[in-house]
Amino acid sequence: MKTAFGRMVLLIRDFDKAFSFYEENLGCIKIYDSVNEKGKRFLHIGFSSKSNVGLWFLKAETDEQLNLVGNQTGGMPAFVLYTDNLEEAYERLNRNKVKIV
């Protein structure tokens, strides 16, 4: 049996701002971006269109969901990224003034 994670879900306030952050800081691309007939948008991002792993953005709609944006895991990491060039990744984040905790 083969088992794997597909997409992790992340609550966001604004699709375009969230994507811009991940694109500029981590080099992510849009894997899937669609709006259904009811106007609900679905945006999946990742590092390769051939990858099954990525982030699925869901827009926070309720007050409870809006309060969770940015703190969905109670201050713990939401995910771990792997890179073959940590120095370059660090410099990119630092250059873009991303707060590293």
Side-chain angles (χ1 to χ4, degrees):
M1 176 172 85
K2 183 177 178 182
T3 306
F5 283 110
R7 306 230 187 300
M8 304 302 170
V9 175
L10 193 63
L11 284 172
I12 49 93
R13 292 182 192 276
D14 181 279
F15 285 101
D16 296 321
K17 286 181 182 178
F19 175 70
S20 180
F21 176 85
Y22 282 89
E23 179 184 40
E24 291 173 15
N25 293 292
L26 300 174
C28 290
I29 62 168
K30 291 180 182 177
I31 296 172
Y32 179 82
D33 189 0
S34 179
V35 179
N36 71 13
E37 65 279 350
K38 294 181 180 179
K40 189 168 180 95
R41 185 173 179 188
F42 299 90
L43 177 57
H44 296 193
I45 68 164
F47 298 102
S48 168
S49 61
K50 296 177 183 167
S51 173
N52 290 333
V53 179
L55 286 175
W56 178 9
F57 290 151
L58 293 180
K59 187 170 184 179
E61 296 174 350
T62 67
D63 287 341
E64 181 181 6
Q65 291 170 347
L66 287 165
N67 287 331
L68 291 172
V69 172
N71 192 27
Q72 296 176 62
T73 62
M76 301 301 286
F79 49 84
V80 176
L81 297 173
Y82 294 97
T83 180
D84 62 357
N85 192 332
L86 181 59
E87 190 171 306
E88 181 180 321
Y90 175 79
E91 288 302 320
R92 184 181 204 173
L93 293 169
N94 203 28
R95 188 171 49 252
N96 290 335
K97 299 181 179 15
V98 174
K99 182 180 176 184
I100 300 171
V101 180

